[in-house]
Amino acid sequence: VTAVRSLTLGVAIGASVAGSAAQQTKPVFRTQTDVVSVSVAVYDGRRPVAGLGVPDFALTDNKVTQAIDSVSAQEVPIDVTLLVDVSGSTADHLVQYRSDVAQIAKLLRPDDRLRLLAFGTDVVEVLPLQRQSDALPLHALQMSGKTSLNDALADALVRSVAFDRRHLAVAFTDGYDTMSVTTADRVLEVARQSETVLHLVITDSASIPSSAIPRVWPLSASMNAKGREVLLEAAEVTGGRRGWPGVFSASVLGAFKEIFNDFRASYVLKYRPRGVPQGGWHDIGVTVLKQRGYTIRARRGYGGL
Amino acid sequence: MNCGHAVARVVGIALAGVALSSTESSLIARGPREIAWAMLDAYHAGRHEQVVADLKAVPDLRVMAREFSRFAEAWIERAPVDEREDRFRTSAVAQLEVIRETLDRPPAMYESGRHGIEAYCRKFRERAPSPFEQVWMLASVALLYGAHDERMQLGVGPGGRIFPAESHARHASSRFPSEPRFQLAAVPWYEVSTISRQPDDRALQPAPGPGGTAVKADLATRLAQAATLLEAFPEGSPVHAEAQLRIGIVRYQLQEAAKSLAALEMAARSVDPFVAYLAHLSAGRVHESLDRRGDAIVSYRAAVGIRPGAHSGAVSLASLLFLTGARDEAAAIMDATAGTPAGVDPWRLYGSGDLRFWPSYRARLHGFLGERRSRR
């Protein structure tokens, strides 16, 4: 049993008032934070813990205890954005990626939705966000030279999340950007504010010395090992995980299954911040009461507007 | 670029779906040559697109790219004497098609293609300069710049032989001194890569030190030298706006924001949307570095206005709007971009230099070939 971890978690939804049917389809983000939604995964060892409710959680916002309005779980539909690296450095994975994406699409429920972003030299939305489709445009996953990883991550992180849904983004990549206009630091900055939970699955665990990674374009500063570390931190700050297929599972498909099942089993806690200034960074702490052996994974906080 | 570079030995090749080993040298010599001849016949007859389609079907182009000029020599020799110059021109353009195709392949294939340009560069120097050669040189410089990113992906590092494009542009400029595109291309693109360069950038080599040893210029010195060379392009030059764009980026890297913005402002007035887009996008980056987010947003909006489907401008604008609280607009911009035909995103092509001109150069070369063909 792992030690108790009271991680600082959180999410930025500067969000709409709950319960309005109109707002459920089109969230209205206001200049102040009304409702904060926190996606929380609770594990007993490696097994997700089910059946928890409002009385089981304690939540603090900048160390001020908050009243949790609601806890929802598996019934919340999920929007999945898959980000697939089709750059030259991952050419050997392309056929497998196509197969994996087809399998991944089958894991979704009818009310879940899938978006597919391919990133190589450019970032292309191969599949717009939509419910299950038998005609996945897998042929559009074509190898494309360089790697615009940061741009793809920023793209996924700024997409809106409907109030009644959750957004999971999973990127499969070798983790080295060579082309983006977006810096890794900018990705991290956006991740801190995003409602999306981002997981980064590194498909090539080989360690590449930063001196061997070319800087193709002058204004992007992320094309080195430090940049990759910043991206991995961006995943963690959203409550996502980072690692290699071997860390999650033995394959990309296996990694996604594990991520997706855990996400499905995670909870969404909603509260209205009280007793804390709206602006600035908010550390969020979540604990499960009466249980000291659980591991909790979620966002670290959010930036108030 | 050394036009006298020797052709290296080729080992382990799969060509046109036939796996060949280095021990089967006779097969290597015969198989690819016959394929090359068939393609040359088709190209000579004006079936250019068919040849491109055939090239796409060749799984490994290393032999074709590296040995094409040698195969073409034999193909030219088979023709009557009065047709050989026509055949030479056909083969020179077909060679470029082979190299263009390698740019869409895994990076390891590109290096082979460079030898083809070197070979034809030697052949042209045996002839008097001509309008055909000038366009061929423009096209070959474009392809070499288009390839340099790929070559860098090979891991060519400090001390390695990189960036032949600039050397080639200097050779071309010596053949056609009044062509400003060669002059612009010959100014080393230090703003694109910070990788150490081989010391054949004679134009930018610092003077030998007191002991007679050349002092290796650091990046800042090189950038400043490049800016000085770029500033020599006068306002009336056809490449003035491009030079200003490069100056803007170089000055930004030198942390000279005011000079950078002044140059980018001039570049932004360009009638070439490629240049204007990049000028606005780069100005946005400079404003951000000065923590002027409002100005950055204005610049990014201008870039997006020029190329609504270009992802680089959209994601720059959207991420900044997102951080300033305009989340709905940020998401809407990315949604709209995804649904807009992208075309060429200038950011993705800037590092490829003149590659964007390849289609027009190719068309002009086909025009030359067509004229000769109609006279035959």
Side-chain angles (χ1 to χ4, degrees):
Chain A
V1 178
T2 58
V4 175
R5 292 176 63 191
S6 177
L7 301 178
T8 52
L9 315 165
V11 72
I13 294 195
S16 59
V17 176
S20 160
Q23 289 171 335
Q24 282 182 354
T25 54
K26 186 177 182 183
V28 177
F29 294 102
R30 299 179 178 169
T31 54
Q32 61 182 26
T33 304
D34 295 329
V35 177
V36 174
S37 175
V38 186
S39 184
V40 180
V42 183
Y43 302 92
D44 183 359
R46 291 180 61 84
R47 184 179 60 82
V49 176
L52 300 178
V54 171
D56 298 307
F57 289 99
L59 187 150
T60 61
D61 184 322
N62 277 343
K63 298 186 178 175
V64 176
T65 300
Q66 302 292 323
I68 300 170
D69 293 337
S70 67
V71 172
S72 50
Q74 301 215 2
E75 67 272 19
V76 180
I78 297 172
D79 290 342
V80 175
T81 297
L82 283 183
L83 301 104
V84 180
D85 187 341
V86 294
S87 65
S89 56
T90 59
D92 294 342
H93 301 289
L94 200 53
V95 173
Q96 187 61 46
Y97 278 169
R98 289 189 186 125
S99 169
D100 288 342
V101 168
Q103 294 300 315
I104 285 169
K106 293 176 183 171
L107 298 173
L108 273 54
R109 290 178 179 171
D111 55 352
D112 293 334
R113 296 186 296 186
L114 177 66
R115 175 192 292 120
L116 186 56
L117 293 180
F119 60 94
T121 299
D122 210 339
V123 180
V124 179
E125 187 173 277
V126 170
L127 182 73
L129 191 63
Q130 61 183 248
R131 289 189 164 79
Q132 276 195 11
S133 167
D134 292 333
L136 286 173
L138 299 176
H139 62 279
L141 291 175
Q142 296 286 344
M143 197 195 81
S144 170
K146 293 173 275 289
T147 313
S148 295
L149 169 61
N150 296 354
D151 287 348
L153 294 177
D155 183 333
L157 289 167
V158 303
R159 300 293 183 115
S160 61
V161 182
F163 190 72
D164 55 346
R165 307 182 75 85
R166 290 190 285 166
H167 185 206
L168 172 69
V170 184
F172 300 109
T173 175
D174 63 6
Y176 286 105
D177 192 291
T178 61
M179 195 65 206
S180 285
V181 67
T182 308
T183 64
D185 287 339
R186 172 54 53 87
V187 173
L188 176 58
E189 205 177 355
V190 171
R192 289 183 194 281
Q193 303 277 349
S194 174
E195 303 161 64
T196 298
V197 175
L198 169 68
H199 292 256
L200 208 52
V201 181
I202 307 297
T203 53
D204 180 3
S205 61
S207 175
I208 304 173
S210 59
S211 61
I213 303 167
R215 296 179 61 180
V216 176
W217 203 169
L219 305 182
S220 177
S222 62
M223 289 159 275
N224 52 39
K226 180 176 175 294
R228 182 150 101 167
E229 280 305 311
V230 172
L231 295 184
L232 292 168
E233 186 184 347
E236 285 198 328
V237 82
T238 68
R241 293 166 66 189
R242 45 186 269 178
W244 289 261
V247 172
F248 290 102
S249 180
S251 66
V252 164
L253 178 59
F256 180 84
K257 281 182 180 173
E258 193 173 327
I259 291 166
F260 189 60
N261 289 338
D262 285 4
F263 190 72
R264 176 77 77 193
S266 66
Y267 300 89
V268 179
L269 281 55
K270 291 183 178 172
Y271 72 100
R272 298 159 197 267
R274 292 185 179 90
V276 288
Q278 288 176 348
W281 178 257
H282 292 239
D283 274 337
I284 297 181
V286 176
T287 51
V288 176
L289 301 170
K290 301 177 184 174
Q291 285 291 344
R292 295 189 173 275
Y294 290 167
T295 299
I296 301 170
R297 186 186 306 282
R299 305 185 62 85
R300 294 176 184 167
Y302 69 97
L305 299 173
Chain B
M1 181 180 211
N2 177 6
C3 291
H5 194 80
V7 174
R9 183 164 174 266
V10 181
V11 177
I13 300 135
L15 180 70
V18 181
L20 305 172
S21 75
S22 60
T23 57
E24 299 170 302
S25 57
S26 62
L27 278 177
I28 292 172
R30 191 167 62 242
R33 186 186 66 178
E34 288 166 354
I35 294 169
W37 283 6
M39 289 184 178
L40 282 164
D41 283 338
Y43 212 82
H44 200 49
R47 298 196 296 274
H48 307 134
E49 306 313 322
Q50 178 198 320
V51 169
V52 171
D54 290 345
L55 283 170
K56 290 187 184 303
V58 177
D60 188 331
L61 281 169
R62 276 173 292 186
V63 170
M64 183 68 81
R66 188 181 289 267
E67 304 291 318
F68 189 84
S69 65
R70 193 165 60 82
F71 299 147
E73 269 181 25
W75 177 76
I76 293 167
E77 291 299 318
R78 296 171 70 205
V81 175
D82 61 352
E83 196 190 327
R84 286 180 187 172
E85 186 60 21
D86 283 5
R87 285 198 170 210
F88 164 74
R89 290 185 173 209
T90 293
S91 70
V93 183
Q95 170 73 82
L96 296 182
E97 295 279 20
V98 174
I99 292 167
R100 176 64 190 90
E101 179 58 26
T102 64
L103 301 188
D104 294 332
R105 303 298 185 92
M109 288 197 187
Y110 170 70
E111 189 64 13
S112 304
R114 184 167 59 79
H115 297 289
I117 289 181
E118 290 170 345
Y120 277 91
C121 187
R122 282 196 303 272
K123 295 173 193 294
F124 275 117
R125 286 200 304 204
E126 296 166 359
R127 294 163 164 80
S130 66
F132 172 79
E133 182 195 342
Q134 186 172 357
V135 179
W136 189 91
M137 287 291 185
L138 286 166
S140 59
V141 167
L143 291 183
L144 280 174
Y145 268 110
H148 82 249
D149 288 351
E150 308 301 328
R151 284 158 33 77
M152 285 200 287
Q153 286 185 3
L154 294 172
V156 179
R161 178 184 166 79
I162 59 174
F163 271 20
E166 292 152 15
S167 314
H168 183 46
R170 278 198 290 278
H171 292 164
S173 193
S174 69
R175 298 277 286 172
F176 302 95
S178 62
E179 173 54 67
R181 296 221 67 81
F182 293 141
Q183 294 162 12
L184 182 64
V187 179
W189 289 52
Y190 291 126
E191 74 272 26
V192 171
S193 173
T194 57
I195 290 181
S196 299
R197 315 287 293 278
Q198 68 166 7
D200 76 340
D201 304 325
R202 285 180 290 277
L204 289 185
Q205 280 300 298
T213 305
V215 179
K216 185 177 180 182
D218 62 19
L219 179 62
T221 305
R222 289 175 176 221
L223 286 168
Q225 289 172 319
T228 301
L229 290 172
L230 290 165
E231 282 161 356
F233 288 90
E235 198 154 346
S237 167
V239 297
H240 177 257
E242 288 174 75
Q244 290 299 314
L245 172 63
R246 291 185 61 186
I247 291 167
I249 292 168
V250 167
R251 293 295 182 196
Y252 171 75
Q253 289 179 290
L254 289 167
Q255 298 182 316
E256 298 171 346
K259 288 182 178 178
S260 171
L261 288 171
L264 292 171
E265 191 178 335
M266 275 199 271
R269 293 183 208 137
S270 173
V271 295
D272 181 347
F274 183 96
V275 174
Y277 174 93
L278 282 174
H280 287 299
L281 187 67
S282 300
R285 306 293 299 188
V286 179
H287 285 307
E288 283 209 65
S289 75
L290 299 171
D291 205 22
R292 299 199 305 230
R293 289 188 162 184
D295 291 332
I297 287 173
V298 170
S299 293
Y300 292 146
R301 284 193 196 283
V304 170
I306 293 169
R307 289 279 170 96
H311 190 269
S312 57
V315 78
S316 297
L317 177 59
S319 59
L320 193 50
L321 286 171
F322 183 85
L323 291 173
T324 54
R327 298 183 175 200
D328 279 350
E329 185 181 2
I333 287 168
M334 295 319 303
D335 288 343
T337 300
T340 305
V344 172
D345 183 338
W347 172 273
R348 316 292 180 197
L349 263 188
Y350 178 80
S352 299
D354 284 358
L355 182 63
R356 66 192 174 107
F357 296 122
W358 161 251
S360 64
Y361 294 151
R362 180 175 183 261
R364 288 169 67 185
L365 289 168
H366 287 171
F368 283 115
L369 297 183
E371 283 176 22
R372 304 282 286 229
R373 196 164 48 247
S374 62
R375 277 192 243 134
R376 286 200 297 271

